[in-house]
Amino acid sequence: MNRREFFRQSARVGILAAITGGVVVLTANNRIDWTCSDNEACKACRKYASCDLEQAQKNRKNERR
């Protein structure tokens, strides 16, 4: 491996690591619980009012009745 290939490969690995790290950070900060049920934990979720999961939509409809 010559010097140019080494730097090129290092840049690729660095970019891949940065993308992977960014995805992990964004996912960790979002804190979305994708398991919605008819319990208080789902209703306490910050995303409950705009949650697109079918179970959350059913729960919101039942609350309005």
Side-chain angles (χ1 to χ4, degrees):
M1 178 184 300
N2 64 21
R3 180 184 248 180
R4 183 176 288 175
E5 289 177 30
F6 173 77
F7 285 123
R8 196 175 289 159
Q9 187 67 22
S10 297
R12 287 180 186 155
V13 171
I15 291 170
L16 181 61
I19 290 171
T20 304
V23 168
V24 168
V25 168
L26 291 174
T27 303
N29 287 341
N30 206 358
R31 294 184 187 135
I32 296 175
D33 183 13
W34 295 106
T35 58
C36 185
S37 61
D38 193 22
N39 61 18
E40 294 301 317
C42 185
K43 293 176 184 175
C45 178
R46 295 183 302 160
K47 305 287 185 184
Y48 179 71
S50 62
C51 184
D52 292 334
L53 293 175
E54 183 178 338
Q55 185 64 36
Q57 291 173 350
K58 287 180 184 178
N59 287 345
R60 287 193 303 268
K61 283 183 183 177
N62 289 338
E63 286 178 354
R64 294 180 184 140
R65 290 183 183 178

